Amino acid sequence: DGCGAATNMTFYAQLMAATNKTYEIENCHWGVCGADRKFHNPDGASCPTEGWCPFNHFRTSGDINAGPMSWFANLQTTVRFLDASAPLSRPSCWAYPDMLEVRR
């Protein structure tokens, strides 16, 4: 989760790769791209680029809430990663919105 200070995805992907083991990496930065002090993201490693994606899936939205259109608003946050000719959401680097609202 992006709530802690351990959100440097580049650093952690390098550490995991050095073990020669396979990991599934999720980036839960709520779709905030670039260096961001609020979300403890010093290297800006939060959203993929065409040539860089050290995580298997990444969250594109903030937390869902009990509002009737919250799910739809969150779904819309994936659009910027779905370019028809060069999508950033692709196999091994999937974009996803927060969609699970269990209870109010």
Side-chain angles (χ1 to χ4, degrees):
D1 197 340
C3 296
T7 59
N8 183 329
M9 297 305 292
T10 304
F11 177 68
Y12 286 100
Q14 290 169 346
L15 287 176
M16 289 183 236
T19 68
N20 291 318
K21 295 181 180 179
T22 302
Y23 293 90
E24 183 172 344
I25 303 172
E26 175 189 13
N27 178 352
C28 184
H29 287 156
W30 310 289
V32 176
C33 296
D36 187 286
R37 198 176 302 174
K38 179 179 178 184
F39 294 107
H40 310 284
N41 187 26
D43 73 337
S46 54
C47 291
T49 64
E50 192 172 319
W52 178 86
C53 185
F55 26 85
N56 302 93
H57 39 98
F58 60 99
R59 191 152 140 201
T60 60
S61 72
D63 293 339
I64 196 168
N65 62 52
M69 294 303 290
S70 180
W71 68 272
F72 188 74
N74 279 6
L75 183 61
Q76 297 307 303
T77 65
T78 62
V79 171
R80 67 182 171 146
F81 300 102
L82 302 175
D83 182 88
S85 61
L88 294 177
S89 181
R90 57 191 183 272
S92 299
C93 187
W94 294 112
Y96 74 96
D98 187 32
M99 294 301 232
L100 180 63
E101 177 69 20
V102 177
R103 188 174 190 177
R104 292 194 218 207

